[in-house]
Amino acid sequence: MKIGFIGLGIMGKPMVHNILKAGYKEVLVWNRSQAPVEACVSYGAVASTPREIGESCGVVITMPPNSPQVKEVMLGENGVASFMKPGSVFIDCSSINPVASKEIAAVLAERSVEMLDAPVSGGEPKAIDGTLSFMVGGKQEVFDAHKELLLTMGASAVRCGEVGAGNTTKLANQIIVACNIRAVAEALTLAQKAGVEPEAVFQAIRGGLAGSTVMDAKAPMMIAGNDKPGFKIDLHIKDLNNVLDCAHAVGAPVPMTASVMEIMQWLHNNGKGQCDHSAISQYYEHLTGIQIGR
């Protein structure tokens, strides 16, 4: 089976690497910039074009940043979809608005091409070690046929419903992650202002009910002052914009999301958009004049 992969950014490139390590021999790749393509070729992939990927691959996977880019690469002039054969499958691993996923799926259905929306959680570290979590929307039989492929890149793949359900689930995930990071930053700021070492607080509570994967990943970064991006503020802003759009469309109240979005927008406007989303702590540092753990 030939696999096409488009979008070789911070997540896509290691995902391609893991597909190849799992034994898939024919993986064709394309990206707007050339350096990631060259890196994937060094892993064993084949540099290609959108047209060739559409014409020759039974499965096409995309990982661009947002809805407009996915629509452009798939449905734009000379987009991949125009070259895909009936019976082939499109798997979009981007985090986009579920409304856009449904729109793309409807166009593909006219060409007898199936679709899974399969966004991921875990960021760059889990993309590298192949332990991403896939949240998938699409037909049960299509999911079953491609779950093994997804698990070359992830530790879990769960079908959540029809097309659009994967990205709806990802939006829920991004609400929880953003609000959790904010809570960790706020709690560690309180601890330090009250004269208690943030590291001691982290170690004391991480094994209890307040403990979480988010806390384990982000509290040490906050304490060390490390904002090297595993998942950038600007990307989380993109996801929360999709949350707010979806929530407004379906009438769901999301006041916590709106609040943390304002913090992220402040960080973006103050030059922190390319920092890790743990940089939410720097908003509190700005308000208090302290640096957590330092």
Side-chain angles (χ1 to χ4, degrees):
M1 175 175 60
K2 279 189 179 180
I3 299 166
F5 203 112
I6 294 174
L8 307 174
I10 195 170
M11 301 289 286
K13 186 170 65 174
M15 290 167 74
V16 168
H17 196 190
N18 284 317
I19 292 172
L20 290 161
K21 286 196 297 183
Y24 289 87
K25 302 298 185 185
E26 295 184 287
V27 181
L28 281 59
V29 297
W30 183 81
N31 194 69
R32 291 190 184 277
S33 56
Q34 190 61 24
V37 174
E38 293 171 356
C40 288
V41 168
S42 74
Y43 305 149
V46 177
S48 188
T49 65
R51 177 170 187 153
E52 184 180 5
I53 286 172
E55 289 177 338
S56 63
C57 294
V59 177
V60 176
I61 303 173
T62 55
M63 194 60 168
N66 205 356
S67 308
Q69 291 83 7
V70 179
K71 285 187 171 181
E72 176 63 26
V73 77
M74 290 301 296
L75 306 181
E77 185 177 359
N78 295 318
V80 178
S82 61
F83 304 109
M84 293 177 74
K85 295 179 174 62
S88 54
V89 175
F90 170 51
I91 303 175
D92 179 35
C93 294
S94 311
S95 297
I96 68 175
N97 194 314
V99 173
S101 296
K102 293 176 182 178
E103 291 172 352
I104 296 167
V107 175
L108 294 177
E110 295 174 358
R111 302 174 183 271
S112 298
V113 174
E114 297 289 354
M115 177 177 170
L116 298 175
D117 65 308
V120 300
S121 178
E124 183 184 17
K126 290 185 179 292
I128 291 170
D129 64 22
T131 58
L132 293 167
S133 297
F134 285 87
M135 297 149 269
V136 187
K139 294 178 181 176
Q140 183 70 56
E141 61 270 25
V142 179
F143 170 73
D144 291 341
H146 296 85
K147 184 176 180 179
E148 180 180 342
L149 172 59
L150 296 178
L151 291 179
T152 66
M153 301 172 278
S156 68
V158 177
R159 178 180 176 270
C160 303
E162 298 301 321
V163 170
N167 271 304
T168 301
T169 304
K170 179 60 187 289
L171 296 185
N173 180 87
Q174 294 303 81
I175 291 172
I176 294 168
V177 170
C179 293
N180 201 339
I181 293 173
R182 180 186 180 181
V184 171
E186 198 164 294
L188 295 183
T189 299
L190 167 66
Q192 184 145 329
K193 287 287 283 184
V196 182
E197 286 293 331
E199 177 66 27
V201 173
F202 168 55
Q203 295 298 337
I205 67 176
R206 62 184 299 202
L209 187 59
S212 67
T213 301
V214 169
M215 178 184 285
D216 283 345
K218 303 305 178 180
M221 295 181 70
M222 295 176 188
I223 292 167
N226 172 18
D227 59 13
K228 179 182 177 182
F231 192 79
K232 296 176 182 177
I233 287 283
D234 282 348
L235 285 175
H236 214 137
I237 287 173
K238 178 265 294 186
D239 288 344
L240 296 188
N241 271 323
N242 285 333
V243 170
L244 294 171
D245 286 347
C246 183
H248 296 160
V250 301
V254 286
M256 289 176 65
T257 302
S259 177
V260 74
M261 176 65 138
E262 289 302 307
I263 294 174
M264 289 190 178
Q265 289 287 358
W266 182 91
L267 289 162
H268 169 84
N269 291 332
N270 284 273
K272 298 293 183 178
Q274 296 299 298
C275 296
D276 188 78
H277 49 181
S278 62
I280 285 175
S281 63
Q282 295 176 31
Y283 172 78
Y284 289 94
E285 291 174 355
H286 169 77
L287 293 178
T288 62
I290 67 167
Q291 291 183 311
I292 293 173
R294 286 154 287 143

Short mmCIF file of all heavy atoms in Angstrom, two decimals, residues 21 46 49 60 66 71-72 77 84 86 118 125 136 153 156 165 168 189-190 221 231 246 275 279:
data_model
loop_
_atom_site.label_atom_id
_atom_site.label_comp_id
_atom_site.label_asym_id
_atom_site.label_seq_id
_atom_site.Cartn_x
_atom_site.Cartn_y
_atom_site.Cartn_z
N LYS A 21 9.32 3.35 10.17
CA LYS A 21 9.91 2.40 11.13
C LYS A 21 9.03 1.18 11.34
O LYS A 21 9.52 0.10 11.67
CB LYS A 21 10.18 3.10 12.47
CG LYS A 21 11.36 4.05 12.45
CD LYS A 21 11.84 4.42 13.85
CE LYS A 21 10.81 5.17 14.63
NZ LYS A 21 11.33 5.61 15.97
N VAL A 46 9.85 9.03 -0.01
CA VAL A 46 10.11 9.45 -1.39
C VAL A 46 9.52 10.84 -1.59
O VAL A 46 8.32 11.06 -1.34
CB VAL A 46 9.49 8.47 -2.40
CG1 VAL A 46 9.71 8.96 -3.83
CG2 VAL A 46 10.08 7.07 -2.21
N THR A 49 4.88 14.96 -5.31
CA THR A 49 4.04 16.14 -5.55
C THR A 49 2.61 15.81 -5.15
O THR A 49 2.24 14.63 -5.08
CB THR A 49 4.05 16.51 -7.04
OG1 THR A 49 3.43 15.46 -7.79
CG2 THR A 49 5.47 16.75 -7.54
N VAL A 60 -4.07 8.87 1.71
CA VAL A 60 -3.43 10.18 1.78
C VAL A 60 -3.66 10.75 3.17
O VAL A 60 -4.80 10.86 3.63
CB VAL A 60 -4.00 11.14 0.72
CG1 VAL A 60 -3.39 12.54 0.88
CG2 VAL A 60 -3.75 10.60 -0.69
N ASN A 66 -4.31 24.28 9.69
CA ASN A 66 -5.69 24.68 9.97
C ASN A 66 -6.58 24.43 8.76
O ASN A 66 -6.12 24.01 7.69
CB ASN A 66 -5.75 26.16 10.37
CG ASN A 66 -6.95 26.50 11.24
OD1 ASN A 66 -7.81 25.66 11.50
ND2 ASN A 66 -7.03 27.74 11.68
N LYS A 71 -8.18 22.58 3.20
CA LYS A 71 -9.06 22.75 2.05
C LYS A 71 -8.26 23.07 0.79
O LYS A 71 -8.56 22.57 -0.30
CB LYS A 71 -10.07 23.87 2.33
CG LYS A 71 -11.19 23.47 3.27
CD LYS A 71 -12.22 24.59 3.36
CE LYS A 71 -13.45 24.14 4.12
NZ LYS A 71 -14.48 25.21 4.19
N GLU A 72 -7.25 23.91 0.93
CA GLU A 72 -6.46 24.30 -0.24
C GLU A 72 -5.71 23.10 -0.82
O GLU A 72 -5.74 22.87 -2.02
CB GLU A 72 -5.46 25.40 0.15
CG GLU A 72 -4.51 25.82 -0.96
CD GLU A 72 -5.22 26.43 -2.16
OE1 GLU A 72 -6.32 26.97 -2.00
OE2 GLU A 72 -4.65 26.36 -3.27
N GLU A 77 -7.30 24.49 -6.51
CA GLU A 77 -6.95 24.22 -7.90
C GLU A 77 -5.82 23.19 -7.96
O GLU A 77 -4.79 23.36 -7.31
CB GLU A 77 -6.52 25.51 -8.59
CG GLU A 77 -6.26 25.35 -10.07
CD GLU A 77 -5.90 26.68 -10.72
OE1 GLU A 77 -5.89 27.71 -10.02
OE2 GLU A 77 -5.64 26.67 -11.93
N MET A 84 -7.40 11.73 -6.80
CA MET A 84 -7.57 10.48 -6.05
C MET A 84 -8.57 9.56 -6.75
O MET A 84 -9.55 10.00 -7.32
CB MET A 84 -8.03 10.78 -4.62
CG MET A 84 -6.98 11.49 -3.78
SD MET A 84 -7.54 11.92 -2.10
CE MET A 84 -7.51 10.29 -1.31
N PRO A 86 -11.42 6.46 -6.95
CA PRO A 86 -12.50 5.91 -6.12
C PRO A 86 -12.01 4.74 -5.27
O PRO A 86 -11.23 3.91 -5.74
CB PRO A 86 -13.52 5.44 -7.16
CG PRO A 86 -13.27 6.30 -8.35
CD PRO A 86 -11.77 6.52 -8.38
N ALA A 118 -8.89 12.64 11.93
CA ALA A 118 -8.16 11.92 12.98
C ALA A 118 -7.12 12.82 13.64
O ALA A 118 -5.91 12.57 13.56
CB ALA A 118 -7.48 10.68 12.39
N PRO A 125 6.71 15.70 21.58
CA PRO A 125 7.37 14.55 22.22
C PRO A 125 6.70 13.22 21.89
O PRO A 125 7.37 12.22 21.62
CB PRO A 125 7.28 14.87 23.72
CG PRO A 125 7.17 16.36 23.78
CD PRO A 125 6.36 16.74 22.57
N VAL A 136 -10.90 9.93 16.34
CA VAL A 136 -11.22 9.68 14.94
C VAL A 136 -12.73 9.78 14.68
O VAL A 136 -13.54 9.27 15.44
CB VAL A 136 -10.72 8.29 14.51
CG1 VAL A 136 -10.90 8.10 13.00
CG2 VAL A 136 -9.25 8.10 14.89
N MET A 153 1.79 5.38 14.59
CA MET A 153 2.15 6.73 15.03
C MET A 153 1.66 7.04 16.43
O MET A 153 2.04 8.06 17.01
CB MET A 153 1.55 7.76 14.06
CG MET A 153 1.99 7.60 12.62
SD MET A 153 1.09 8.69 11.48
CE MET A 153 -0.43 7.72 11.22
N SER A 156 -2.86 5.06 20.98
CA SER A 156 -4.29 4.78 21.01
C SER A 156 -4.97 5.45 19.83
O SER A 156 -4.52 6.50 19.34
CB SER A 156 -4.93 5.26 22.32
OG SER A 156 -4.93 6.68 22.38
N ALA A 165 -16.57 14.06 14.21
CA ALA A 165 -16.51 13.71 15.63
C ALA A 165 -15.09 13.73 16.16
O ALA A 165 -14.84 14.06 17.33
CB ALA A 165 -17.13 12.33 15.85
N THR A 168 -14.29 17.37 16.83
CA THR A 168 -15.06 17.82 17.98
C THR A 168 -14.42 17.34 19.27
O THR A 168 -14.29 18.10 20.25
CB THR A 168 -16.51 17.32 17.90
OG1 THR A 168 -17.12 17.81 16.70
CG2 THR A 168 -17.33 17.80 19.09
N THR A 189 2.00 30.01 41.01
CA THR A 189 2.19 31.43 41.35
C THR A 189 1.73 31.71 42.77
O THR A 189 2.42 32.39 43.55
CB THR A 189 1.41 32.32 40.35
OG1 THR A 189 1.90 32.09 39.03
CG2 THR A 189 1.57 33.79 40.71
N LEU A 190 0.57 31.17 43.13
CA LEU A 190 0.07 31.31 44.50
C LEU A 190 1.09 30.76 45.50
O LEU A 190 1.40 31.40 46.52
CB LEU A 190 -1.25 30.58 44.66
CG LEU A 190 -1.76 30.37 46.10
CD1 LEU A 190 -2.11 31.70 46.74
CD2 LEU A 190 -2.94 29.43 46.13
N MET A 221 8.51 22.65 33.19
CA MET A 221 8.91 23.69 32.24
C MET A 221 8.73 25.07 32.84
O MET A 221 9.60 25.94 32.69
CB MET A 221 8.10 23.56 30.95
CG MET A 221 8.36 22.28 30.17
SD MET A 221 7.40 22.16 28.64
CE MET A 221 8.19 23.44 27.63
N PHE A 231 4.24 22.53 21.86
CA PHE A 231 3.01 22.96 21.20
C PHE A 231 2.91 24.46 21.42
O PHE A 231 2.84 24.94 22.55
CB PHE A 231 1.79 22.24 21.78
CG PHE A 231 0.55 22.44 20.95
CD1 PHE A 231 0.36 21.71 19.80
CD2 PHE A 231 -0.41 23.37 21.32
CE1 PHE A 231 -0.78 21.90 19.01
CE2 PHE A 231 -1.54 23.57 20.56
CZ PHE A 231 -1.73 22.82 19.39
N CYS A 246 -17.15 26.77 16.97
CA CYS A 246 -18.03 25.61 17.08
C CYS A 246 -19.05 25.82 18.21
O CYS A 246 -20.24 25.54 18.05
CB CYS A 246 -17.20 24.35 17.32
SG CYS A 246 -18.16 22.83 17.41
N CYS A 275 6.21 30.50 21.51
CA CYS A 275 6.64 29.77 22.71
C CYS A 275 5.68 28.63 23.02
O CYS A 275 4.55 28.58 22.53
CB CYS A 275 6.69 30.72 23.92
SG CYS A 275 7.91 32.03 23.76
N ALA A 279 3.93 28.73 28.50
CA ALA A 279 4.25 30.14 28.72
C ALA A 279 3.07 30.92 29.26
O ALA A 279 3.20 32.12 29.58
CB ALA A 279 4.75 30.79 27.43
#
